[in-house]
Amino acid sequence: MARRACLFIALALLLSGCAATHYKQTRTGTLSGALIVEWRNPDFFIFRPDPASPLLFVRSDGTRIQPGLMYTDGGSIPRPFWSLRNYSPWGYGPAFIVHDWLFHMQNCKLAGYDRWTIQQAATVMSEVMKTMMETPGFDFGSQDTVYLMYAAVQTPPAEKSWTSGACLTPAPGAAPPKPPDLIFRVEFPPKR
């Protein structure tokens, strides 16, 4: 029992050190625009860009990522973790949407998809998370969460989704079969 406790403490210290290093090395960018998500069914959402204020993340090197119309589940966080602070599937909504967009580009072979790797997509997600965390008034997140999510989106199941995920896209002009159950809108940066 004591050996397991020591191993757990050592692992926690190692993780904490890796998380701090990853966070320090992660650059921030500029996040702006509206995130509009239509809730269609439990765990089934459509991200719909706002024509007047599209969600946009500009990386520190000037690279612009503007997500388009797509299906999303927010953060693909296993349900048992949802009860833990910082592990909500929507707690970092803009970061998850930007990350999902890079996966969607890859799966649908959209223009520019070949410029991204799964590792770069993970880095971009970390950058958006850090940008959110360092925005005044955003009181959510931790360095450990950023690092754990960065690592999680590069696991073998994520790699399989990156290389052989299906291209599913809502029809842009088609009327949905029914109105959404709810529509969520979040502005970034938050309006005061």
Side-chain angles (χ1 to χ4, degrees):
M1 186 70 126
R3 187 183 298 196
R4 271 193 250 169
C6 288
L7 183 60
F8 178 76
I9 290 169
L11 184 61
L13 288 172
L14 178 64
L15 173 65
S16 182
C18 292
T21 300
H22 174 74
Y23 192 84
K24 184 177 180 183
Q25 293 174 347
T26 299
R27 296 175 181 210
T28 58
T30 304
L31 184 62
S32 62
L35 178 134
I36 301 173
V37 178
E38 298 175 358
W39 184 10
R40 292 290 173 173
N41 287 310
D43 305 324
F44 182 68
F45 302 86
I46 295 175
F47 168 75
R48 191 170 303 277
D50 182 331
S53 181
L55 183 66
L56 175 67
F57 182 65
V58 181
R59 300 181 76 195
S60 62
D61 68 2
T63 302
R64 299 166 61 90
I65 304 169
Q66 184 174 322
L69 181 69
M70 68 176 166
Y71 292 111
T72 183
D73 65 351
S76 302
I77 297 171
R79 192 171 293 274
F81 293 103
W82 291 7
S83 63
L84 302 175
R85 180 166 166 76
N86 302 324
Y87 293 95
S88 158
W90 288 103
Y92 295 98
F96 298 151
I97 292 295
V98 169
H99 182 258
D100 283 359
W101 177 247
L102 296 176
F103 265 73
H104 182 72
M105 287 178 64
Q106 171 72 21
N107 294 154
C108 295
K109 308 298 185 237
L110 299 179
Y113 83 93
D114 52 348
R115 293 189 315 235
W116 299 100
T117 65
I118 192 170
Q119 293 80 16
Q120 289 168 322
T123 297
V124 167
M125 186 181 73
S126 289
E127 290 173 356
V128 180
M129 291 172 75
K130 183 175 180 179
T131 298
M132 292 173 70
M133 288 172 55
E134 295 191 359
T135 297
F138 188 84
D139 185 25
F140 187 76
S142 73
Q143 292 180 9
D144 291 343
T145 304
V146 173
Y147 179 70
L148 286 172
M149 290 190 187
Y150 168 80
V153 297
Q154 297 181 76
T155 59
E159 180 76 36
K160 183 177 180 187
S161 178
W162 179 263
T163 59
S164 58
C167 175
L168 303 173
T169 303
K178 66 175 185 128
D181 293 330
L182 289 171
I183 297 176
F184 299 96
R185 179 184 177 93
V186 177
E187 292 280 337
F188 215 89
K191 304 250 190 279
R192 299 279 167 221

